[in-house]
Amino acid sequence: MEKLKVLLVASEVVGFAKTGGLADVAGSLPIALEELGVDIRVIMPKYASVKVKADETKIGKNIPVYFVHNDDYFNRKELYGDKFGDYQDNLERFAFFCKEVLERCKKEGFAPDVINCNDWQTALIPVYLNTIYKYDPFFSKTRVLFTIHNLAYQGIFSKDEFPKIGLDWALFSIDYFEFYDKVNIMKAGIVYSDAISTVSPTYAKEILTKEFGCGLEGVLKTRENVLHGILNGIGYSLWNPKTDTKIFKKYSAENPDDKYVNKELLQKEAGLKIDRDIPMIGMISRLADQKGLDLLAKIIDDLLNQKVQFILLGTGDNKYHVLFEKMARAHPKNTSVNLKFDATLAEKIYAGSDIFLIPSRYEPCGLGQMISFKYGAIPIVRQTGGLKDSVREFNQVTREGNGFTFEEYKSADLFAAIKRALSIYKNKAVWTELVKKVMGLDFSWNASAREYVKLYGKIVK
Ligand code: ADP
């Protein structure tokens, strides 16, 4: 039987460029798909961070990764914008990218059965396939799965920019691109794709509601019959304290004691008191409204007045940089605030933390909780999106559950969850048992990659 041919298109792929979870998924799902016998290939823009000279390389055993090369558009330090905001030419950049993706398929003689697009930067691909390339025999069998990693980023531009897409003004209508008199790229992508998926079953339901739909709930409702939720996995070849060379000392569920060597060395590096017994609360996050930072802000003083240490790694909105700088000044003894993107420090924090905070307002999937499980840091999360699908409240009596959770978006509820965690932390035997348990949980791509294969199969039929 011929292999299923799939092209995964993403604006970031870990190892080459990363700002968030999309990169992790785009770099690890293909490896799992290759194991399942899919002819999977990946394509992304060639940013300055891509250190490969050629316009192609390989990941996994033999997965081609193609780079779309255009120095004017992509040879920049950042992916989507700098401290002054989004790049002004993002529409041009990603319209160019989407066309080049299709041209590259032809050049490589690779006619995909399925193009798996990811987020708005790739959403013009289904549109072009149904317009400019509609009668192109090369793509006659090609279908599109559009995966939404975060509905809040839709690629919305002024109407004046519409001509940059290179399509007839007739498509600037309520059925396609028009969105409150602006151009909405993701909206057209949703309309034109053969199927849509998002990154957790709960988020797939949430985005049909006004609260989470970001204005696209109506459009998504019309596509509900082809909308799927598949929980992300993580690549354990990348995220594994047993093999991780960036952490201070490797460890595993069999010798979790060495986790505390990491904790002490992290305390030392961060200039905090070296003490195994002080609970270390870690947080690694884009600093955006989505991430529940306002909840944390309200309780942070009370929290830091207790016997805890808090280490933050993140970058994003300036207002949160100001907030955390202020917090660090007020509590210099037990906080370490790191306002940057730093993959090495991230791994050290996962390894050195006892508790990992994700109080998100909404969270399509969230990878932090899965990574922290593997590193034996117990997550405290709000029950939303993929966090709800992966974290359950720990019950000290039945020993069920794997973390600490709260439902309502209230700082008092977050604080209560933290207190429950801190109280169980005091019971070393129970805590160690919980740490060992979460380190053994399986959030690899095994199950989810199979679901993707099933879905691809459904679409090509
Ligand atoms: P999102 O995609 O919304 O940012 P996810 O939880 O899906 O959130 O993925 C976040 C990924 O980015 C994780 O791998 C996390 O460790 C990483 N990350 C976030 N901020 C930083 C940072 N400042 N430095 C290093 N890694 C980061």
Side-chain angles (χ1 to χ4, degrees), residues 263 273 275-280 307-309 354 425:
K263 178 173 173 178
K273 185 173 175 207
D275 183 343
R276 282 187 184 205
D277 291 332
I278 303 179
M280 165 78 86
K307 200 180 164 201
V308 297
Q309 292 176 337
D354 299 300
Y425 180 83

Side-chain angles (χ1 to χ4, degrees), residues 18-22 24 150 232 239 284-286 290-291 313-315 338 340-343 346 350 363-369 371:
K18 168 168 166 175
T19 66
L22 167 63
D24 290 314
N150 194 333
N232 282 336
W239 297 111
I284 302 170
S285 180
R286 281 186 300 112
Q290 169 198 345
K291 299 293 182 179
L313 171 63
T315 170
N338 306 274
K340 58 181 175 177
F341 192 94
D342 183 338
Y350 286 118
E363 196 59 74
C365 177
L367 298 176
Q369 76 282 20
I371 303 170

Side-chain angles (χ1 to χ4, degrees), residues 232-432:
N232 282 336
I234 58 171
Y236 286 138
S237 54
L238 208 74
W239 297 111
N240 193 343
K242 216 175 183 169
T243 51
D244 194 330
T245 51
K246 289 185 184 141
I247 59 177
F248 295 107
K249 185 164 188 203
K250 294 176 194 161
Y251 62 100
S252 66
E254 291 80 53
N255 62 338
D257 219 44
D258 282 344
K259 177 174 171 61
Y260 301 98
V261 176
N262 283 282
K263 178 173 173 178
E264 287 177 342
L265 290 169
L266 178 65
Q267 286 169 326
K268 185 167 173 221
E269 188 175 284
L272 299 167
K273 185 173 175 207
I274 300 169
D275 183 343
R276 282 187 184 205
D277 291 332
I278 303 179
M280 165 78 86
I281 303 176
M283 185 167 189
I284 302 170
S285 180
R286 281 186 300 112
L287 301 182
D289 290 339
Q290 169 198 345
K291 299 293 182 179
L293 302 160
D294 54 335
L295 284 193
L296 185 62
K298 282 188 201 136
I299 57 157
I300 199 79
D301 284 324
D302 289 339
L303 176 63
L304 293 173
N305 286 332
Q306 311 203 9
K307 200 180 164 201
V308 297
Q309 292 176 337
F310 178 65
I311 182 160
L312 172 99
L313 171 63
T315 170
D317 285 1
N318 192 47
K319 67 177 178 201
Y320 294 121
H321 285 227
V322 173
L323 171 87
F324 285 113
E325 274 162 357
K326 192 174 145 214
M327 182 196 85
R329 278 195 302 274
H331 303 273
K333 282 210 175 113
N334 57 347
T335 57
S336 165
V337 168
N338 306 274
L339 300 171
K340 58 181 175 177
F341 192 94
D342 183 338
T344 302
L345 180 57
E347 281 165 56
K348 289 177 179 170
I349 293 176
Y350 286 118
S353 301
D354 299 300
I355 290 168
F356 193 81
L357 269 193
I358 319 181
S360 304
R361 183 182 287 278
Y362 72 91
E363 196 59 74
C365 177
L367 298 176
Q369 76 282 20
M370 300 180 186
I371 303 170
S372 72
F373 280 145
K374 192 69 188 169
Y375 285 77
I378 309 301
I380 297 181
V381 309
R382 190 166 98 81
Q383 291 281 275
T384 179
L387 297 172
K388 189 168 175 179
D389 294 332
S390 53
V391 185
R392 295 258 172 287
E393 177 79 19
F394 177 67
N395 182 317
Q396 200 174 349
V397 179
T398 64
R399 302 290 162 95
E400 281 165 337
N402 52 20
F404 299 90
T405 67
F406 63 105
E407 260 317 306
E408 283 196 57
Y409 195 74
K410 283 191 184 150
S411 51
D413 294 5
L414 165 62
F415 203 24
I418 297 176
K419 280 187 184 150
R420 289 198 300 280
L422 292 174
S423 129
I424 291 182
Y425 180 83
K426 285 191 190 126
N427 186 334
K428 278 276 155 323
V430 177
W431 190 265
T432 307

